């Protein structure tokens, strides 16, 4: 280590002050061994006007103006005063972190940071200079007016590096602004314990032979600050007895590396006992991001295996008791995660949420600490969910992920017009406002909720849009409880916190259904105390990283059961933001016998004789459509007040339009074709819902193409050469969960045919 030669430094300063000639060869810094040398050491707050190694060494070789500028700095005066104090106390050598490290050498800087705890520990005396204390005595009570921003205490106590500088030296002498002694560490131990949270016995006798658990040491740094993010980790290495290389620029990864090095050297599971902040926090790494996560661990202590087992002896099979101590003893780090045996209790409502017990406690006589985990894939992550279960605890070998899940920014395009048309009013959004009908989630903002008020029932509808584990999720929750919050903004914050806690459940539900890239996801939920159903449908457009979401409400007088779960359907061509794929129908487009018309994005089949718009039925084994009825007749018989007037679409201004099949082996020449389609409105949904019970898995003719008599063929009549069918979503029953997403996109109808979702607005698709 470089040490300041106190006598040489002060002599040089006196010669400069007196204007006398100075020997430029005289050395004021020299190498020395910290274990063989008696030296004093300085602990202080850097204030921006410090003096570095190069300036101290080359001071006498500089031009006079430059030299004088350095000598006038507060940082230089601090070195002079420290040397004066060291000489007064009889020490020939002094170390100060500003000028005794040549920071131009990364090797020397790394060595110094890794050795610093030992250097402070081996110092005979440490001068703790409190630059903002003018009084001749140590402050005994917090004073927010005098020390604002530092919990009412001098700034020295708020810095990260001064933590080890307080604990490591045996003798710490506190000096005020005027370099007057105002007490030492042992005499001030009760006050210092109150300020720092460090137990008195640690302040009196240090860490040797009495090292607290990792979580408690981390808690001492919870409220401290460093200029560089990485220094939050580097300043703790000596206190936690680990060493690691410096990588400035890595940000919070430094603190993750520190924790991994601690795990490699220790089996202290209190390192997992940090408090999970639920304010917007998403499931993630089992490692903490910052020492502040350990803020409430000041009384944390480890439990020996016998104490730990006593709490769960009745839950652990007798044949496993003998191996508990060995299982708790090691948890190696692998490329998959931290391999560890843990006592887990599954959540009562979920197969993926678990409560884990750790062999540590938050104070004497307290029960073991509990943390919550979520299983994603084959690994476990920390999560903010509050697991609740009476299930028995069992030892399991698990892999705890120490990397955060992947994240990608996603933009949601929300169409909630159907809600506002049905009496819902948007009242609030949190934590960000929507920009028009779009919302972009980022790595820092992974959840946003939108609150709607239902004027019909005076209930609220909370719609959450989130991203977790690299997956998008959507959820709609109806709330009929009384509002206790004083404002919509407060209410939205409360519901936001609730959704954060349920994030693992929501993302698992949607991901279970949404296993493919080209899929439509639809969820229906009955609104309490009404005949209405909330339908949420979504599709991801990969080319634009946009997720389209449609929110709809329609009446269901039949009170049929709805699962409230997501159902996914394989589709083709979803990667087209110009189409609204969030819809009502499930397309059935036969590939072998289909026709395309120029400018139209969907296929048509050759129409059987006599087919009409609104016909429904089934397909025979030979794939012939067998009509069983039609919507217009049913509407008349049901006496429903519904308008399902067909829509008309002129396909071309030319007299003849050609329709081709995919292989171009068959071409139809259509004379002035006119397309008729069923409307996409609430009236149609009402009718389809009314027929859903007896028409399960039936197909509906949603579009036909008609041609008027062709003048070139005198005997021709109105013809219907092409048609298109779909299976209404509300007529569909997915008997085997997940089977839809596993089917091939090339399969067709019936039990062996894949189903596809059609656009909600037929006009939008066709024109």
């Amino acid at each position: 280590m470089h040490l300041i030669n106190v006598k040489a430094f002060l002599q040089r300063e006196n010669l400069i002050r007196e204007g006398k000639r100075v020997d430029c060869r005289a050395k004021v810094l020299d190498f020395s061994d910290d274990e063989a040398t008696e030296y004093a050491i300085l602990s202080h707050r850097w204030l921006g006007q410090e003096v570095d190694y190069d300036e101290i060494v080359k001071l006498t070789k500089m031009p006079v103006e430059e030299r004088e500028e350095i000598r006038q700095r507060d940082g230089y005066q601090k070195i002079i005063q420290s040397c004066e104090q060291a000489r007064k106390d009889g020490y020939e050598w002094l170390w100060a972190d500003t000028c005794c490290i040549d920071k131009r050498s990364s090797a020397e800087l790394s060595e110094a940071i890794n050795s610093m705890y030992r250097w402070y520990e081996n110092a005979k005396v440490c001068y703790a200079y409190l630059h903002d204390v003018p009084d001749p005595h140590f402050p005994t009570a917090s004073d927010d007016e005098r020390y604002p921003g530092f919990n009412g205490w001098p700034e020295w106590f708020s810095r990260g590096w001064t933590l080890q500088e307080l604990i490591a030296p045996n003798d710490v002498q506190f000096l005020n602004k005027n370099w007057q002694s105002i007490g030492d560490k042992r005499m001030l131990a009760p006050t210092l314990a109150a300020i720092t949270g460090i137990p008195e016995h640690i302040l009196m006798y240090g860490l040797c032979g009495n090292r607290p658990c990792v979580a408690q040491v981390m808690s001492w740094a919870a409220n401290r600050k460093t200029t560089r993010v990485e220094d939050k980790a580097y300043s703790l290495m000596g206190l936690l007895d680990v060493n690691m290389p410096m990588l400035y620029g890595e940000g919070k990864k430094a603190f993750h590396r520190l924790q991994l090095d601690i795990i490699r050297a220790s089996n202290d599971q209190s390192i997992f006992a940090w408090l999970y902040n639920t304010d917007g926090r998403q499931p993630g790494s089992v490692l903490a991001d910052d020492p502040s996560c350990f803020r409430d661990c000041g009384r944390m202590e480890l439990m020996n295996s016998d104490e730990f087992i006593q709490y769960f002896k009745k839950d652990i099979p007798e044949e496993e008791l003998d191996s508990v101590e060995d299982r708790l003893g090691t948890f190696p780090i692998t490329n998959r995660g931290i391999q560890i045996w843990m006592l887990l209790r599954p959540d009562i409502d979920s197969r993926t949420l678990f409560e884990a017990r750790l062999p540590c406690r938050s104070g004497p006589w307290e029960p073991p600490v509990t943390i919550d985990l979520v299983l994603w894939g084959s690994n476990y992550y920390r999560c903010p969910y509050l697991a609740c279960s009476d299930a028995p605890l069992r030892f399991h070998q698990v892999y705890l992920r120490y990397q955060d899940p992947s994240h990608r920014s996603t933009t949601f395009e929300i169409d909630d017009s159907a809600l506002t048309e049905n009496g819902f009013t948007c009242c609030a959004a949190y934590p960000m406002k929507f920009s028009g009908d779009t919302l972009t989630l980022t790595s820092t903002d992974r959840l946003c909720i939108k609150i709607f008020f239902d004027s019909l029932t005076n209930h609220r509808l909370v719609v959450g849009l989130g991203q977790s584990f690299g997956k998008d999720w959507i959820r709609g929750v109806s709330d009929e409880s009384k509002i206790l919050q004083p404002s919509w903004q407060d209410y939205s914050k409360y519901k936001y916190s609730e959704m954060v806690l349920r994030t693992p459940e929501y993302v698992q539900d949607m991901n279970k259904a949404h296993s493919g890239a080209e899929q439509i996801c639809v969820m229906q939920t009955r609104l309490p105390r009404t005949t209405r159903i909330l339908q949420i449908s979504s599709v991801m457009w990969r080319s634009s990283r946009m997720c389209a979401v449609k929110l709809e409400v329609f009446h269901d007088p039949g009170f049929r059961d709805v699962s409230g779960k997501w159902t996914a359907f394989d589709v083709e061509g979803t990667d087209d933001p110009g189409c609204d794929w969030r819809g009502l129908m499930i397309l059935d487009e036969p590939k072998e016998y289909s026709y395309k018309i120029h400018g139209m994005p969907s296929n048509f089949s050759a129409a059987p004789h006599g087919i009409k718009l609104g016909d429904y039925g089934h397909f025979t084994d030979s794939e012939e459509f067998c009509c069983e009825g039609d919507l217009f007749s049913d509407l008349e018989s049901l006496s429903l007040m519904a308008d399902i007037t067909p829509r008309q679409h002129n396909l071309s201004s030319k007299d003849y339009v050609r329709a081709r099949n995919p292989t171009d082996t068959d071409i139809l020449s259509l004379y002035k074709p006119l397309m008729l389609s069923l409307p996409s409105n609430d009236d149609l949904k009402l009718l389809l819902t009314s027929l859903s019970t007896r028409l399960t898995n039936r197909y509906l003719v949603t579009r036909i193409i008609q041609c008027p008599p062709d003048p070139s063929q005198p005997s021709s009549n109105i013809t219907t050469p092409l048609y298109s069918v779909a299976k209404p979503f509300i007529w569909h029953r997915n008997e085997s969960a997940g089977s839809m997403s596993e089917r091939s996109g090339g399969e067709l109808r019936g039990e062996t045919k894949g189903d596809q979702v059609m656009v909600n607005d037929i006009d939008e698709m066709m024109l």
Side-chain angles (χ1 to χ4, degrees), residues 558-758:
F559 286 97
R560 63 187 176 88
D561 292 332
V562 290
S563 64
K565 300 292 184 181
W566 286 100
T567 303
F569 305 98
D570 290 329
V571 296
E572 291 184 355
T574 58
D575 204 16
D576 179 6
C579 294
D580 183 1
W581 286 98
R582 302 157 289 183
L584 176 69
M585 303 293 184
I586 302 167
L587 284 181
D588 180 74
E589 297 180 348
K591 303 270 187 284
E592 299 93 330
Y593 308 105
S594 62
Y595 290 86
K596 289 195 176 214
I597 299 175
H598 177 69
M600 298 182 61
S602 57
N603 297 335
F604 292 84
S605 301
H609 178 70
I611 198 164
K612 305 184 301 299
L613 183 69
D615 285 351
Y616 58 79
H618 64 278
F619 284 90
T620 65
D621 292 339
S622 59
E623 297 195 354
E624 294 181 358
F625 182 74
C626 180
C627 180
E628 299 176 28
D630 72 272
L631 291 185
F632 296 97
S633 298
D634 290 337
L635 177 61
E636 186 176 347
S637 65
L638 291 172
S639 300
L640 290 175
M641 297 297 293
D643 181 9
I644 59 170
T645 303
R647 296 178 179 178
Q648 297 185 6
H649 312 267
N650 291 309
L651 302 183
S652 174
S653 59
K654 299 179 180 179
D655 285 345
Y656 291 93
V657 176
R658 287 190 172 186
R660 300 173 180 268
N661 73 355
T663 59
D664 280 353
T665 58
D666 193 7
I667 300 176
L668 294 179
S669 183
L670 307 177
Y671 174 71
K672 292 187 176 180
L674 175 70
M675 189 183 78
L676 300 177
S677 69
L678 292 174
S680 178
N681 56 24
D682 285 344
D683 286 348
L684 179 64
K685 293 179 184 180
L686 175 61
L687 178 57
L688 295 179
T689 302
S690 301
L691 300 173
S692 63
T693 303
R694 59 187 178 89
L695 295 181
T696 301
N697 281 324
R698 296 303 190 267
Y699 290 85
L700 174 67
V701 178
T702 58
R703 295 169 298 178
I704 62 170
I705 292 178
Q706 287 185 345
C707 297
D710 187 345
S712 65
Q713 300 178 15
S715 60
S716 68
N717 298 310
I718 295 178
T719 59
T720 303
L722 299 174
Y723 83 121
S724 178
V725 298
K727 183 188 295 182
F729 174 74
I730 52 181
W731 288 2
H732 174 72
R733 294 293 183 273
N734 189 6
E735 300 295 341
S736 55
S739 62
M740 279 293 176
S741 60
E742 297 168 1
R743 295 173 181 166
S744 169
E747 293 176 346
L748 301 180
R749 309 179 187 94
E751 293 301 319
T752 61
K753 309 303 181 184
D755 295 317
Q756 300 175 317
V757 176
M758 175 181 147

Side-chain angles (χ1 to χ4, degrees), residues 45-191:
R45 168 74 176 103
W46 285 43
L47 295 174
Q49 289 186 316
E50 303 299 337
V51 56
D52 62 24
Y53 173 88
D54 198 47
E55 290 169 328
I56 286 289
V57 172
K58 298 180 179 180
L59 185 71
T60 56
K61 300 177 182 179
M62 294 178 180
V64 175
E65 289 184 3
E66 185 177 350
R67 183 177 65 190
E68 289 307 305
E69 186 277 324
I70 292 173
R71 291 182 62 244
Q72 295 305 314
R73 292 180 193 172
D74 290 341
Y76 187 83
Q77 295 300 315
K78 192 160 38 179
I79 301 300
I80 294 175
Q81 294 295 334
S82 299
C83 287
E84 294 281 9
Q85 187 67 43
R87 183 175 63 177
K88 185 189 303 182
D89 293 340
Y91 297 105
E92 298 179 6
W93 302 95
L94 173 77
W95 188 88
D97 56 358
T98 54
C99 59
C100 291
I101 305 172
D102 186 356
K103 298 178 180 65
R104 297 171 300 179
S105 168
S106 59
E108 183 171 336
L109 177 61
S110 180
E111 178 188 2
I113 291 178
N114 275 277
S115 305
M116 202 171 294
Y117 183 87
R118 188 184 77 242
W119 291 351
Y120 275 90
E121 187 177 36
N122 289 338
K124 294 301 179 181
V125 63
C126 174
Y127 300 133
Y129 175 60
L130 308 185
H131 72 279
D132 50 358
V133 177
D135 301 324
H137 53 78
F138 192 88
T140 56
S142 63
D143 187 339
D144 290 327
E145 291 186 8
R146 175 170 287 185
Y147 309 111
F150 310 117
N151 295 323
W153 297 102
E155 188 182 2
W156 187 87
F157 292 100
S158 72
R159 308 308 299 176
W161 286 104
T162 57
L163 175 61
Q164 67 175 6
E165 296 164 12
L166 172 64
I167 294 174
N170 183 55
D171 183 8
V172 178
Q173 297 291 327
F174 290 94
L175 304 168
N176 70 3
K177 181 179 181 178
N178 300 315
W179 292 88
Q180 297 172 306
S181 177
I182 54 175
D184 63 69
K185 180 170 73 169
R186 291 176 178 269
M187 178 185 72
L188 297 170
T191 302

Side-chain angles (χ1 to χ4, degrees), residues 58 120 175 299 322 328 344 359 439 444 473 485 492 568 702:
K58 298 180 179 180
Y120 275 90
L175 304 168
R299 300 179 69 240
D322 292 339
L328 294 176
L344 298 183
L439 168 73
T444 54
W473 61 267
Q485 285 70 28
S492 62
T702 58

Side-chain angles (χ1 to χ4, degrees), residues 520-568:
I520 306 296
C521 276
V522 182
M523 180 177 70
Q524 291 187 336
T525 307
R526 182 172 295 282
L527 298 178
R529 306 178 188 278
T530 72
T531 61
R532 296 181 300 170
I533 287 178
L534 169 69
Q535 178 170 294
I536 305 175
S537 47
S538 74
V539 63
M540 173 61 71
W541 293 322
R542 291 175 299 166
S543 61
S544 60
R545 289 297 320 134
M546 181 173 286
C547 181
V549 181
K550 192 175 186 70
L551 305 172
E552 301 173 275
V553 171
F554 57 91
H555 291 278
D556 176 24
F559 286 97
R560 63 187 176 88
D561 292 332
V562 290
S563 64
K565 300 292 184 181
W566 286 100
T567 303

